[in-house]
């Protein structure tokens, strides 16, 4: 087929040609928006799932919907490095308030709130506060959002945003991606702040996304987290949605899959969104079309596997140091996860201390997670077979 017309979108956060199987989540979010606008209490959403299941794409879609509903929005990926959360939230709120102050009716209130934000940022001694674009004449407002207690200060700040938005029948929607990168303290502060904002019925929504351990981290941070968030767990798509993700983009361009060809793709991809895009894309590029056959899929399979091995999997495996990779090898050669911690230690050679240190580092790098207490698994689907294909077992 014509490669220039290839509709599929393998990548990170790249909008798929067909956003399959997300009707319920989108409807839930629309309800959340409508309720937030009326300042009626509703649980926010916490989206979790393994790598490549479509968390970022869904968060982006929510961002777009919120924007269409005239909400003020901001999307932020929490970096794994040491920037403080106060600095990150300063940036987020500053962007929102500057957008608000560009509207004539909101200008005065937004400028006042910028003063509160400035006090908030001064607590962190944010290095480049002076360099930030504050618009002229913004003075800090002492006594607001500057107590030094992040949860209280964040709540003050979110309430400021909410008050400005509410006066003009709109709201604020903030989207945080890779939230597992927050420290336990920061996550706890965020949850406590949202709790207070909820109690005050403010039109401020925070939708968070991250790896599967998040609900547990959130619950550990604050026991009422589950009453504050609706947990949305993304994984492999149901068969019907996976078929739509593959078939619809092609059929819109006049190409079709034979049933056994489609079946083979759903099987080999495990119906994971990222893998589906990669399969669709490779079949499109190599097959003459316009009808895709099982043979096309088999031929493309070699290329898909090579592309995943050299790209998707290799990039992640190389994020680990050689010693960290040794632990991943010990895991992978046990078979499919989740792995019992005691078994991993044993397979690694029994050195508990080294194992713990390496696990912590892999957790920080987002390569493994703890599905349950004393268990470990890879965050990347189909990662164990990749490791087994490319790295020999530790015990030879
Ligand atoms: N609902 C969907 N239907 C079809 N394809 C999808 C869907 N959601 C995501 N995809 C595709 O899956 C791939 C991965 O999406 P995305 O980057 O959002 O995943 P992620 O969960 O954020 O992964 P990571 O944890 O690595 O950040 C992209 O190529 C995207 O186009
Ligand atoms: Mg993502």
């Amino acid at each position: 087929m014509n490669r220039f017309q290839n509709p599929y979108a393998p990548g990170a956060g790249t909008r798929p040609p067909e956003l399959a199987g997300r009707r319920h989540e989108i409807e839930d979010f629309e309800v959340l928006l409508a309720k937030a606008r009326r300042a009626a209490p509703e649980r926010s959403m916490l989206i979790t799932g393994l790598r490549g299941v479509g968390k970022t794409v869904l968060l982006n879609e929510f961002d777009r919907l919120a924007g269409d509903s005239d909400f003020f929005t901001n999307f932020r990926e929490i970096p794994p490095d040491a920037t403080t959360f106060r600095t990150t939230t300063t940036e987020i709120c500053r962007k929102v308030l500057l957008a608000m102050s560009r509207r004539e009716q909101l200008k005065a209130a937004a400028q006042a709130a910028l003063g509160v934000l400035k006090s908030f940022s001064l607590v962190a001694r944010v290095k480049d506060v002076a360099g930030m674009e504050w618009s002229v004449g913004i003075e800090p407002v002492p006594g607001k959002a500057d107590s030094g207690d992040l949860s209280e200060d964040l709540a003050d700040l979110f309430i400021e945003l909410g008050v400005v938005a509410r006066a003009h029948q709109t709201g604020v929607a903030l989207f945080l991606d890779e939230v597992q990168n927050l420290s336990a303290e920061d996550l706890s502060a965020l949850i406590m702040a949202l709790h207070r904002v909820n109690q005050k019925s403010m039109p401020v929504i925070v939708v968070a996304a991250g790896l599967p351990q998040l609900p547990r981290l959130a619950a550990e941070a604050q026991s009422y987290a589950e009453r504050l968030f609706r947990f949305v767990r993304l994984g492999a798509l149901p068969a019907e949605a996976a078929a739509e993700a593959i078939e619809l983009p092609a059929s819109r361009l006049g190409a079709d899959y034979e049933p056994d060809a489609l079946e083979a793709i759903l099987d080999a991809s495990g119906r994971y969104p990222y893998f589906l895009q990669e399969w669709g894309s490779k079949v499109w590029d190599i097959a003459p079309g316009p009808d895709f056959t099982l043979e096309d899929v088999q031929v493309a399979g070699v290329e898909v596997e090579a592309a995943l091995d050299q790209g998707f999997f290799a990039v992640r495996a190389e994020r680990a140091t050689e010693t960290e990779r040794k632990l991943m090898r010990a895991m992978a050669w046990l078979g499919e996860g989740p792995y019992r911690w005691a078994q991993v230690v044993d397979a690694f050679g029994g050195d508990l201390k080294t194992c713990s240190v390496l696990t912590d580092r892999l957790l920080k790098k987002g390569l493994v997670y703890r599905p349950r207490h004393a268990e470990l698994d890879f965050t990347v689907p189909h990662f164990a077979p990749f490791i087994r294909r490319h790295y020999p077992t530790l015990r030879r």
Side-chain angles (χ1 to χ4, degrees):
M1 300 289 288
N2 181 346
R3 293 181 61 183
F4 290 98
Q5 285 183 343
N6 191 331
Y8 298 96
T14 42
R15 188 180 161 77
E18 176 65 28
L19 186 63
R22 299 290 184 245
R23 217 171 19 135
H24 288 303
E25 289 79 8
I26 287 176
E27 203 177 293
D28 284 350
F29 182 70
E30 282 172 337
V31 169
L32 178 60
L33 278 181
K35 287 201 166 174
R37 187 189 291 281
R38 281 188 277 124
E42 173 66 82
R43 279 183 301 175
S44 192
M45 292 160 101
L46 187 68
I47 303 165
T48 61
L50 298 175
R51 295 280 172 212
V53 294
K55 302 178 293 293
T56 304
V57 160
L58 189 60
L59 218 51
N60 273 314
E61 179 66 7
F62 288 173
D63 187 1
R64 197 183 60 77
L65 289 168
D68 285 353
S69 290
D70 201 31
F71 271 59
F72 290 94
T73 75
N74 193 264
F75 185 111
R76 191 64 53 139
E77 184 179 316
I78 307 290
D81 59 28
T83 19
T84 71
F85 192 42
R86 200 179 274 265
T87 312
T88 309
T89 36
T90 302
E91 267 299 318
I92 294 172
C93 295
R94 192 179 65 92
K95 286 246 160 73
V96 169
L97 286 170
L98 287 177
M100 286 173 155
S101 67
R102 266 177 236 124
R103 285 216 204 148
E104 207 44 53
Q105 298 160 301
L106 277 74
K107 194 168 184 163
Q111 297 261 329
L114 272 168
V116 176
L117 176 63
K118 199 158 189 181
S119 330
F120 176 85
S121 72
L122 288 174
V123 174
R125 301 205 179 84
V126 177
K127 259 213 305 297
D128 45 358
V129 170
M132 281 183 182
E133 183 203 336
W134 285 102
S135 37
V136 228
I138 299 297
E139 291 303 324
V141 181
K144 265 194 176 173
D146 62 358
S147 75
D149 177 322
L150 183 61
S151 71
E152 275 184 34
D153 294 351
L154 257 185
D156 282 353
L157 194 58
F158 286 163
I159 288 168
E160 288 291 319
L161 296 184
V163 168
V164 182
R166 192 172 60 182
H168 294 85
Q169 290 78 47
T170 176
V172 175
L174 308 178
F175 302 95
L176 302 178
D177 203 1
E178 303 284 348
V179 168
Q180 77 282 345
N181 285 334
L182 284 181
S183 70
E185 267 179 2
D186 289 346
L187 183 62
S188 169
L190 174 67
I191 293 169
M192 281 164 78
L194 287 176
H195 188 47
R196 246 187 76 204
V197 169
N198 248 22
Q199 288 168 336
K200 296 252 180 196
S201 301
M202 285 293 158
V204 177
I205 303 174
V206 175
V207 181
L211 291 174
Q213 68 267 35
L214 254 188
R216 194 172 42 78
L217 294 182
E220 277 169 16
Q222 284 303 330
S223 56
Y224 51 72
E226 54 192 296
R227 279 172 280 142
L228 216 56
F229 285 107
R230 183 197 303 276
F231 296 140
V232 181
R233 291 190 177 85
L234 303 184
L237 290 173
E240 207 178 307
E244 284 176 9
I246 287 292
E247 277 187 305
L248 293 181
S251 70
R252 283 185 202 119
L253 296 171
D256 282 305
Y257 290 81
E258 291 184 355
D260 53 356
L262 179 66
E263 201 56 42
I265 293 183
L266 300 201
D267 251 14
S269 64
R271 295 183 267 106
Y272 279 103
Y274 175 78
F275 298 142
L276 286 168
Q277 296 301 326
E278 199 70 80
W279 273 96
S281 177
K282 284 284 183 292
V283 170
W284 181 280
D285 279 354
I286 63 128
D291 287 322
F292 300 134
T293 65
L294 180 59
E295 203 196 329
D296 294 332
V297 172
Q298 284 159 348
V299 175
V302 182
E303 296 217 10
V304 172
E305 187 162 311
L308 291 177
D309 278 6
Q310 287 153 26
F312 187 71
F313 292 127
V315 165
R316 284 157 178 81
E318 281 158 18
R319 227 174 266 162
T321 63
E322 207 169 311
T323 1
E324 289 159 10
R325 219 157 30 229
K326 218 168 141 193
L327 187 85
M328 298 205 291
R329 280 159 63 189
M331 287 167 66
W333 281 96
L334 287 170
E336 294 315 296
Y339 310 98
R340 289 215 331 274
W341 171 238
Q343 270 182 316
V344 176
V345 177
D346 189 40
F348 187 75
D351 182 351
L352 182 66
K353 201 166 157 223
T354 311
C355 252
S356 305
V357 172
L358 293 175
T359 303
D360 273 351
R361 296 209 300 225
L362 289 172
L363 283 166
K364 279 217 180 74
K365 290 185 178 177
L367 286 167
V368 304
Y369 74 106
R370 289 200 182 99
R372 268 187 295 268
H373 177 67
E375 274 185 10
L376 212 55
D377 206 348
F378 294 111
T379 56
V380 180
H382 298 184
F383 204 53
F386 163 79
I387 299 269
R388 292 196 296 269
R389 279 199 299 279
H390 288 266
Y391 299 96
T393 172
L394 292 178
R395 287 178 185 165
R396 268 175 288 176

